[in-house]
């Protein structure tokens, strides 16, 4: 059995973790804080568990410079796929509640001004109006740039109906039926509120980094930045980002997003928890949510309580039994980044990620007769480097993978849905590992 130091793992997730965190974890699994019991055995409602949650939140706040008066941090289960559903349940409920408040006030004023019969049942009229608005105007925008945003849009269609899902961009249209590009923002068909009236979409959904297809947004879309200026009555669509595979890998402006979420098993920790950063204005007591009874009357889904952000927030992420060990691992990983990069913060990690990715892409581009990078150069992911070998020859790619294994370079096989090779360049992948991969890329190309 080879020692851990001789194996360099490039798997897409679960991904490698820092060795020092795993070594510390092996101790706390047996005896946490000299309690005589392991961390997996302590109560999730204990003072120790609360401290673990607080420490993980504090590290994330430091890394992303999160304004804690404006945003709530939640830890829950269900993975990124669970949040595909949660964002729909929550933001559709929020959209309906806003429309309900507007309709109620307008009809109340109409009765008071004598423009409507004082004997009318305002509540009944509100329901009828909401039914029309849901039917005619409820939309959720999806930027489909890869396999995961496509799955998210499909889950939204399953929950609320395809008629309410607006595919604002489908990258396959611009790339011969395959993912690998992000079309120009001028071509996006995002539902915006018109100044003459009518609400916009309930949200705009994007996957910041597509793990399967190796596509990453270079930055926050400029066309979405204009929404606050274009908005009427605070009806700007809310930007939701799935950052599962590039979480804490570069600086972001959290304030530009309504919701950010990510499964932990790429850059943050082991599989088992999902982190959600959500604007407090979308949560009670600031925001009102539509009641389950109203949603059912409107033919809209009511979500499970374990995915309900207001419930999770109210209970400090401890409504049900949270895997505290998983939170501890994530907290230790994030605290390690805080310590490593000091005043640079997450920008320091961003520089390293960019440098590592540039080395790999440089080696691939140097031998175009042997390697073909899958995504367009303008949207190449720093995290998931997808390429083909030998003109997409299955035999050549098998040969390439076997040669890599012999050098201790593992986890390089592409996703089963697209094939090819994928080198995932997550935070815990060392510079040494990348340099050994680059050497192998050069050696293989020269021998081909």
């Amino acid at each position: 059995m080879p020692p851990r130091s001789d194996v360099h793992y490039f798997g897409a997730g679960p991904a490698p973790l820092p060795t020092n965190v795993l070594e510390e974890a092996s101790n706390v699994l047996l005896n946490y804080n000299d309690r005589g019991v392991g961390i997996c055995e302590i109560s999730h409602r204990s003072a120790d568990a609360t401290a673990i949650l607080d420490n993980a939140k504090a590290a994330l706040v430091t890394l992303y410079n999160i304004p804690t008066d404006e945003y709530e941090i939640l830890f829950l289960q269900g993975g990124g796929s669970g949040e595909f559903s949660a964002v729909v349940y929550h933001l559709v409920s929020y959209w309906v509640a806003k429309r309900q408040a507007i309709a109620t006030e307008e009809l109340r004023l109409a009765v008071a001004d004598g423009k409507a019969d004082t004997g009318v049942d305002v509540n009944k009229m509100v329901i009828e109006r909401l039914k029309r608005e849901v039917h005619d105007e409820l939309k959720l925008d999806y930027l489909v740039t890869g396999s995961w945003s496509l799955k998210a849009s499909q889950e939204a269609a399953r929950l609320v109906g395809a008629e309410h899902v607006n595919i604002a961009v489908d990258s396959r249209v611009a790339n011969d039926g395959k993912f690998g590009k992000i079309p120009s923002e001028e071509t996006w068909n995002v539902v915006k509120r018109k100044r003459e009236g009518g609400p916009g979409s309930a949200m705009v959904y994007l996957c910041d980094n597509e793990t399967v297809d190796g596509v990453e947004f270079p930055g926050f879309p400029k066309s979405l930045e204009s929404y606050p200026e274009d908005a009427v009555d605070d009806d700007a669509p809310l930007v939701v980002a799935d950052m599962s595979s590039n979480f804490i890998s570069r600086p972001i402006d959290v304030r530009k997003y309504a919701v950010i979420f990510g499964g932990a098993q790429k850059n943050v920790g082991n599989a088992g928890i999902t982190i959600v950063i959500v604007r407090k204005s979308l949560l009670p007591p600031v925001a009102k949510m539509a009641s389950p009874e109203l949603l059912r009357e409107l033919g809209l889904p009511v979500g499970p309580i374990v995915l309900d952000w207001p419930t999770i927030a109210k209970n400090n992420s401890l409504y049900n039994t949270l895997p505290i060990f998983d939170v501890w691992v994530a907290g230790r990983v994030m605290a390690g980044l805080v310590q490593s990069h000091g005043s640079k913060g997450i920008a320091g990690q961003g520089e390293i990620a960019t440098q590592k990715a540039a080395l790999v892409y440089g080696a691939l581009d140097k031998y175009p007769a042997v390697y073909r990078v899958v995504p367009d150069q303008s949207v190449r992911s720093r995290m998931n480097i997808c390429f083909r070998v030998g003109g997409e020859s299955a035999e050549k790619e098998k040969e390439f993978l076997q040669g890599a294994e012999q050098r201790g370079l593992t986890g390089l096989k592409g996703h089963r849905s697209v094939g090819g090779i994928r080198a995932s360049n997550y935070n815990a992948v060392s510079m040494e590992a990348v340099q050994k991969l680059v050497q192998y890329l050069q050696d293989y190309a020269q021998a081909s």
Side-chain angles (χ1 to χ4, degrees):
M1 180 182 296
R4 180 177 175 86
S5 58
D6 287 350
V7 176
H8 301 288
Y9 182 60
F10 294 90
L17 287 163
T19 298
N20 67 306
V21 172
L22 292 176
E23 290 172 340
E24 189 179 357
S26 68
N27 292 323
V28 302
L29 279 169
L30 291 173
N31 189 351
Y32 183 71
N33 273 1
D34 293 324
R35 295 287 194 266
V37 295
I39 191 171
C40 292
E41 300 164 302
I42 65 173
S43 168
H44 66 295
R45 301 195 188 283
S46 66
D48 281 332
T50 299
I52 289 168
L53 268 169
D54 290 344
N55 290 338
K57 287 182 182 180
L60 182 56
V61 165
T62 300
L63 289 172
Y64 269 159
N65 193 27
I66 299 172
T68 54
D69 57 331
E70 298 177 40
Y71 286 84
E72 189 77 47
I73 298 171
L74 310 177
F75 291 84
L76 62 166
Q77 298 170 68
S81 296
E83 292 311 300
F84 292 171
S85 306
V87 295
V88 175
Y89 290 134
H90 190 85
L91 293 179
V92 166
S93 177
Y94 176 74
W95 188 94
V96 169
K98 288 181 69 177
R99 300 305 176 272
Q100 181 186 22
I102 293 169
T104 301
E105 179 64 13
E106 289 181 357
L107 289 169
R108 186 191 65 80
L109 290 174
V111 171
D113 293 343
K115 296 178 181 179
D117 188 344
T118 55
V120 302
D121 184 335
V122 172
N123 288 334
K124 183 177 180 180
M125 292 184 68
V126 167
I127 295 296
E128 292 305 313
R129 172 169 161 174
L130 287 175
K131 286 181 178 178
R132 292 193 300 271
E133 289 188 352
V134 166
H135 182 273
D136 297 337
E137 300 169 354
L138 175 60
K139 296 291 182 184
L140 297 92
D141 288 321
Y142 280 80
L143 309 182
V144 177
T145 55
S147 300
W148 289 110
S149 51
L150 175 61
K151 287 187 176 183
S153 71
Q154 291 169 340
E155 174 64 358
R158 189 183 72 85
L159 292 175
V160 298
E163 67 274 16
H164 297 301
V165 175
N166 175 49
I167 304 301
V169 61
D170 185 341
S171 293
R172 295 170 296 183
V173 175
N175 197 42
D176 298 325
K178 295 181 180 181
F179 293 119
K181 291 183 178 180
I182 298 179
S184 170
E185 294 184 37
E186 289 77 18
T187 67
W188 297 2
N189 184 32
V190 174
V191 177
K192 291 189 179 182
R193 176 169 175 147
K194 306 296 184 183
R195 290 203 175 271
E196 61 268 20
S201 61
M203 68 176 186
V204 178
Y205 188 107
L206 62 90
C207 181
D208 207 40
N209 183 80
E210 291 282 1
T211 320
V212 172
D213 307 285
V215 171
E216 184 175 30
F217 279 86
F220 190 86
K222 293 187 181 300
S223 61
L224 302 186
E225 289 182 349
S226 66
Y227 275 20
E229 288 73 28
D230 291 344
V232 179
D233 297 333
D234 193 32
D235 253 321
L238 304 166
V239 179
V240 175
D242 175 358
M243 293 190 180
S244 290
S245 53
N246 65 351
F247 207 70
I248 59 170
S249 71
R250 65 180 179 185
I252 60 170
D253 184 350
V254 171
R255 285 188 173 93
K256 292 181 179 179
Y257 302 89
V259 182
I260 297 167
F261 72 82
Q265 67 274 14
K266 312 290 187 179
N267 272 327
V268 188
N270 53 293
I273 57 167
T274 310
I275 302 174
V276 176
I277 306 169
V278 57
R279 206 175 276 161
K280 286 185 175 180
S281 61
L282 298 176
L283 297 171
V286 181
K288 182 181 178 182
M289 297 292 109
S291 69
E293 294 76 17
L294 175 59
L295 292 171
R296 281 193 288 266
E297 190 161 1
L298 297 175
L300 295 170
V302 177
I305 197 73
V306 293
L307 293 180
D308 185 66
W309 296 339
T311 300
I312 303 301
K314 182 180 178 181
N315 289 276
N316 189 33
S317 297
L318 296 171
Y319 174 77
N320 61 326
T321 306
L322 188 69
I324 289 299
F325 173 68
D326 301 341
V327 179
W328 179 89
V329 171
R332 296 305 298 153
V333 169
M334 292 189 288
L337 291 176
V338 171
Q339 185 175 10
S340 296
H341 299 300
S343 60
K344 275 191 172 183
I346 202 62
Q349 187 59 43
E351 291 173 2
I352 293 173
T354 299
Q355 183 182 1
K356 291 190 297 178
L359 288 174
V360 179
Y361 282 123
L364 295 171
D365 289 339
K366 186 177 179 181
Y367 301 100
V370 179
Y371 306 119
R372 179 181 69 82
V373 178
V374 175
D376 186 76
Q377 189 166 5
S378 62
V379 293
R380 287 179 175 179
S381 170
R382 299 163 306 119
M383 295 289 102
N384 307 104
I385 301 169
C386 297
F387 59 98
R388 305 306 299 253
V389 177
E392 303 189 20
S393 163
E395 183 179 340
K396 286 288 186 182
E397 290 180 341
K398 182 179 180 180
E399 176 188 84
F400 176 90
L401 290 170
Q402 289 174 341
E405 291 269 354
Q406 292 170 5
R407 297 197 184 195
L409 306 171
T410 64
L412 287 165
K413 188 175 182 179
H415 191 272
R416 61 187 181 279
S417 65
V418 295
I421 313 297
R422 174 175 55 178
S424 293
N425 175 39
Y426 296 131
N427 290 351
V429 174
S430 67
M431 182 64 74
E432 178 191 1
V434 168
Q435 289 169 340
K436 288 190 174 183
L437 174 59
V438 167
Q439 184 64 56
Y440 176 60
L441 289 169
Q442 293 173 343
D443 292 347
Y444 180 88
Q446 291 168 3
S448 295

